[in-house]
Amino acid sequence: MFQSQLSASSLGDWRERAARLEAEVEKAILGQSRLIRLVTIAIFACGHVLLEGDVGVGKTTLLRAVSRALGGGYARVEGAIDMMPNDLLYHTYLAEDGRPRVEPGPILRQSDNLSIFFFNEINRSRPQVHSVLLRLMAERKLTAFNRDYVFPFLQVFADRNLIEREETFELPAAARDRFLMELSMATPQDPAIRERLLFDPEFYDVDGLLTRIGETVLDYRKIPEVALAVQQSVRAKGALRSYLLRLWSALLDPASAGIALPDVDLENIVRGGASPRGLAFVVRAAKVRAWLEDRDYLVPEDIREIFVETMAHRVFVDPVYALRGDDIVRQLCRAVLDVIPAP
C-alpha cells in the first residue's frame, strides 16, 4: 500500500490551513459553521456530497466560496429532463462562418484542473446522465474525442430538488451510495444573522461578497496526499471499533437492538444499504474529524458527529416507509445513536 510521505508536523500545518479555509468561507456564508465543517471533512476525505436545502439558502454561494478558497476550476450544470449524457461532455453550435463546431463541455473544458463540480437539481436529469456522473465520480475519468480525460482532484456536489416530484428521476440506490455524505443547508435560526442577510447590502451582491475570500488558501492538488496521510495516521482503538460494530448491527436489525419509533414496524423497516462500504465511509469521515480536532485517535464523538449525514442516504427502507421521505431514516439513525451506549 502506498505510504504518504507527509510528516506529523506537515499534517499540523495542513490542519491550520483547513481552519483558514473554514474561516474564509464563513466570511460569505453566515450561520452555517457546522455545515462548513462537514464540507471540510468531505474535502479531506476526498468524498462527493449530496446537498439539500430550500431554494435561496445559499448552496451555490457556499460552493463558489469553497472553490475560490481551494483554487482549481469550478463548473456547474443544471439538471433538465431533456438533458443528454453528451451535454456533460461537449456542446455544438454554429460558428460565425455558418459551420458547425464541437467544443468541450463544462467538465472537459477544465479537466485535470477541475476541483469542484456542482450538479444542480440532479434528479431532473435522466438515468443515462446519472450513469455518466457515476463513472466520473467512481473512476475520476471520462472518455471523449477519442481520448481519456482524468480528474484527479475532482469533488462532485449534487443538489436534489425535494419539493417538486413531476419530471424528476430519483437517484437509484447505487448512485446515492457513491456520495460520502448528504448535507442539509437550512435557513439560519439566529435572528441577528437573519436580519443581516436581509438588510446588509453586501449580501445582495454574491460576486462582490466572494471577493472577500482569500484565493487559494490551500493547494487543492495536495489534498489527495493529505487525505491519505490522515487516514494512515488516525487510529481506532478496540473499544471504539466495537462501538461502531454495535451501531452497525443496530441499523441492520433495529428491533433486536431495542430501537423504537412511533408507528414503525422496526422488524421490517430496513431493506438494505447499511453495507460494509457505508460503514467504511463513516470511519473515513470520522478520522478526518478527529484530525481536525487535533487528535490521532478516534473518540465516539467523531462517529456521532458525522453518523447521520454519512449513513442516512445509504439506508433503504421498506416502500411503505419510503413514502414518508428521508426523515424516517434520519430518525432511525438518531435512535440508534441514542440507544447504543458509547464507550
Side-chain angles (χ1 to χ4, degrees):
M1 180 180 178
F2 174 74
Q3 290 290 320
S4 172
Q5 300 301 311
L6 288 180
S7 65
S9 61
S10 294
L11 277 179
D13 292 340
W14 274 94
R15 185 183 307 109
E16 293 177 2
R17 294 178 202 177
R20 289 207 300 275
L21 172 78
E22 293 177 339
E24 291 293 322
V25 174
E26 289 192 36
K27 290 178 181 176
I29 307 296
L30 301 184
Q32 303 286 357
S33 296
R34 182 170 184 272
L35 174 67
I36 293 171
R37 168 51 62 97
L38 291 171
V39 169
T40 305
I41 290 173
I43 289 171
F44 284 96
C46 292
H48 308 294
V49 174
L50 277 171
L51 275 177
E52 68 161 357
D54 287 339
V55 175
V57 294
K59 297 187 292 293
T60 301
T61 304
L62 167 70
L63 296 182
R64 289 182 63 189
V66 171
S67 175
R68 182 177 172 87
L70 276 178
Y74 169 83
R76 167 180 166 155
V77 298
E78 302 289 334
I81 191 169
D82 59 348
M83 187 178 197
M84 300 301 291
N86 287 342
D87 292 330
L88 290 177
L89 306 181
Y90 58 81
H91 70 277
T92 60
Y93 63 99
L94 289 176
E96 293 179 353
D97 60 4
R99 295 183 176 180
R101 294 283 192 278
V102 180
E103 299 286 348
I107 295 177
L108 299 187
R109 195 176 302 131
Q110 304 185 70
S111 187
D112 58 359
N113 184 50
L114 186 60
S115 63
I116 299 290
F117 175 58
F118 180 28
F119 200 132
N120 192 35
E121 297 199 0
I122 185 175
N123 56 340
R124 282 202 182 281
S125 62
R126 294 177 179 275
Q128 299 95 317
V129 180
H130 300 164
S131 296
V132 174
L133 186 71
L134 278 182
R135 183 188 174 193
L136 175 64
M137 292 166 57
E139 302 178 11
R140 297 184 188 275
K141 71 177 182 181
L142 288 172
T143 302
F145 304 113
N146 295 321
R147 57 164 286 199
D148 288 334
Y149 291 78
V150 295
F151 305 84
F153 314 112
L154 175 65
Q155 289 189 283
V156 173
F157 291 77
D159 163 62
R160 289 191 296 155
N161 185 324
L162 298 179
I163 298 176
E164 298 164 328
R165 291 298 182 187
E166 293 185 358
E167 297 187 340
T168 60
F169 302 87
E170 188 52 77
L171 288 177
R176 296 179 66 173
D177 194 54
R178 300 289 183 183
F179 290 90
L180 174 74
M181 291 181 174
E182 180 167 43
L183 304 181
S184 178
M185 189 170 187
T187 301
Q189 297 299 308
D190 187 326
I193 291 177
R194 287 186 168 192
E195 181 178 338
R196 192 176 170 196
L197 290 172
L198 292 183
F199 292 100
D200 190 335
E202 71 176 354
F203 291 100
Y204 302 166
D205 177 10
V206 174
D207 290 335
L209 187 64
L210 294 177
T211 61
R212 300 176 57 190
I213 298 174
E215 290 185 82
T216 316
V217 177
L218 48 84
D219 185 352
Y220 68 98
R221 290 165 295 192
K222 296 291 185 182
I223 289 176
E225 184 180 2
V226 177
L228 177 61
V230 169
Q231 296 301 315
Q232 292 175 341
S233 64
V234 177
R235 295 167 289 112
K237 297 180 180 177
L240 196 286
R241 295 184 182 205
S242 298
Y243 176 55
L244 185 56
L245 290 172
R246 291 198 300 275
L247 293 176
W248 187 12
S249 297
L251 261 185
L252 292 171
D253 189 359
S256 297
I259 310 295
L261 291 175
D263 302 321
V264 176
D265 176 7
L266 272 299
E267 290 188 356
N268 296 298
I269 182 174
V270 176
R271 285 289 178 262
S275 65
R277 180 164 63 183
L279 271 294
F281 273 120
V282 170
V283 174
R284 216 163 99 185
K287 284 188 173 183
V288 177
R289 200 263 182 184
W291 169 68
L292 291 173
E293 296 290 324
D294 197 11
R295 280 181 278 101
D296 64 355
Y297 57 90
L298 289 178
V299 298
E301 197 56 36
D302 295 324
I303 292 175
R304 298 173 64 84
E305 184 64 17
I306 53 85
F307 190 76
V308 175
E309 284 80 5
T310 310
M311 284 304 298
H313 67 286
R314 65 179 85 250
V315 174
F316 303 99
V317 297
D318 187 277
V320 171
Y321 300 107
L323 293 174
R324 301 187 188 182
D326 294 335
D327 284 346
I328 192 169
V329 183
R330 295 190 180 109
Q331 292 171 12
L332 174 63
C333 291
R334 293 190 189 101
V336 167
L337 290 174
D338 290 341
V339 168
I340 303 301

